[in-house]
Amino acid sequence: KMAEKQEEPSNTQNGEPDNAEEGEEKKKKKLKREDLPPFEIVTGERLPAIFFKFQFRNVEYSSGRNKTFLCYVLETQGKESVTSRGYLEDEHAAAHAEMAFFNTILPKCESSLRYNITWYVSSSPCVTCADRITETLKKNKNLHLTIMVGRLFMWEEPEMQAALKKMKSAGCKLRIMKPQDFEYVWQHFVEQEEGEEAKAFVPWEDIQENFLYYEEKLAEIL
């Protein structure tokens, strides 16, 4: 039996929350209405180019980048192979995108199937998400996860470093996105303007430098 997928608002920006905490959320939102989007996990086929250019930029000081964008390629190998792809982003009050993936995209792993998953994520997971990833991989030996990250999140924190090491020992491949990976995301996950020729990916100035910086940090941690 297929696990029931929760109905998700498609990438509408004004889907109404349908949970009991709605009143609570409204109170919080009044404080900073303009920069708090509605409470929902936004899922969609492709993300707007402006989000990609801002959120995925691999800068060290990522002020204002307090959301996670997760693009996924999920290959399920059984009698036949099925590949699906899409993206998730988290909103401030909702589950993080990493959790949302396991709650909504892959809530149940069939033991007879093999799952190869690649995530392209704007930044590496927080401690809680990293622990959830570790547990999920330990429980499901048929699940193989590669996470390509644009930036490392709070990598100086000992707790964070320990969580990333645990993910690695549970079999998770953690990689820093190279310029070619950003280009891949641009081609496969970013909306192109209607009726226009697909625009080529334009790397930002310090993309290679930042990639090397994070790669060195990740090597030190792991």
Side-chain angles (χ1 to χ4, degrees):
K1 181 171 171 313
M2 286 291 288
E4 279 185 19
K5 188 174 175 312
Q6 282 164 259
E7 275 302 305
E8 293 291 341
S10 62
N11 45 5
T12 47
Q13 285 300 308
N14 53 0
E16 274 305 303
D18 53 1
N19 63 339
E21 294 149 37
E22 188 176 352
E24 215 32 63
E25 291 307 324
K26 284 205 170 121
K27 274 179 227 155
K28 279 190 215 155
K29 276 191 205 161
K30 281 205 177 103
L31 304 171
K32 279 169 82 184
R33 182 74 227 189
E34 64 289 348
D35 45 12
L36 285 187
F39 171 49
E40 62 182 75
I41 290 281
V42 181
T43 57
E45 287 301 299
R46 287 180 173 253
L47 62 126
I50 190 164
F51 286 176
F52 170 79
K53 286 175 184 165
F54 180 66
Q55 297 288 352
F56 270 90
R57 194 163 180 148
N58 57 355
V59 288
E60 189 179 358
Y61 299 104
S62 50
S63 78
R65 295 177 176 86
N66 51 359
K67 292 170 69 135
T68 302
F69 279 80
L70 185 157
C71 300
Y72 64 86
V73 181
L74 166 60
E75 189 196 344
T76 308
Q77 293 174 336
K79 285 184 183 130
E80 294 169 8
S81 283
V82 183
T83 302
S84 63
R85 61 172 78 226
Y87 88 94
L88 293 161
E89 62 182 88
D90 52 39
E91 301 293 7
H92 308 265
H96 287 176
E98 296 92 336
M99 298 277 198
F101 180 87
F102 290 119
N103 297 341
T104 61
I105 308 296
L106 194 62
K108 204 164 88 199
C109 290
E110 302 288 341
S111 56
S112 59
L113 300 173
R114 180 188 161 101
Y115 300 91
N116 290 329
I117 303 164
T118 306
W119 288 351
Y120 295 88
V121 196
S122 47
S123 72
S124 57
C126 67
V127 171
T128 311
C129 288
D131 289 346
R132 169 79 187 270
I133 290 164
T134 300
E135 279 162 37
T136 306
L137 290 173
K138 278 184 176 159
K139 246 191 314 208
N140 303 284
K141 296 293 179 200
N142 54 332
L143 194 134
H144 302 273
L145 178 62
T146 301
I147 307 179
M148 313 291 294
V149 301
R151 300 183 296 278
L152 288 175
F153 174 69
M154 294 182 71
W155 56 268
E156 299 101 328
E157 302 289 325
E159 201 190 355
M160 189 71 253
Q161 296 185 359
L164 294 178
K165 283 185 180 128
K166 278 194 288 191
M167 268 171 50
K168 185 190 175 183
S169 65
C172 178
K173 292 189 173 80
L174 191 60
R175 305 276 184 270
I176 304 294
M177 285 171 72
K178 300 180 162 89
Q180 300 87 297
D181 298 314
F182 288 105
E183 185 166 6
Y184 176 85
V185 171
W186 174 260
Q187 288 170 348
H188 294 275
F189 293 101
V190 176
E191 278 171 10
Q192 300 297 338
E193 293 295 316
E194 287 291 311
E196 278 190 33
E197 288 288 301
K199 286 197 181 82
F201 172 64
V202 181
W204 40 91
E205 207 179 314
D206 42 9
I207 190 168
Q208 176 70 13
E209 230 170 289
N210 294 343
F211 154 66
L212 293 170
Y213 171 81
Y214 280 125
E215 194 176 51
E216 194 183 313
K217 296 292 170 230
L218 184 61
E220 283 166 20
I221 294 165
L222 300 181

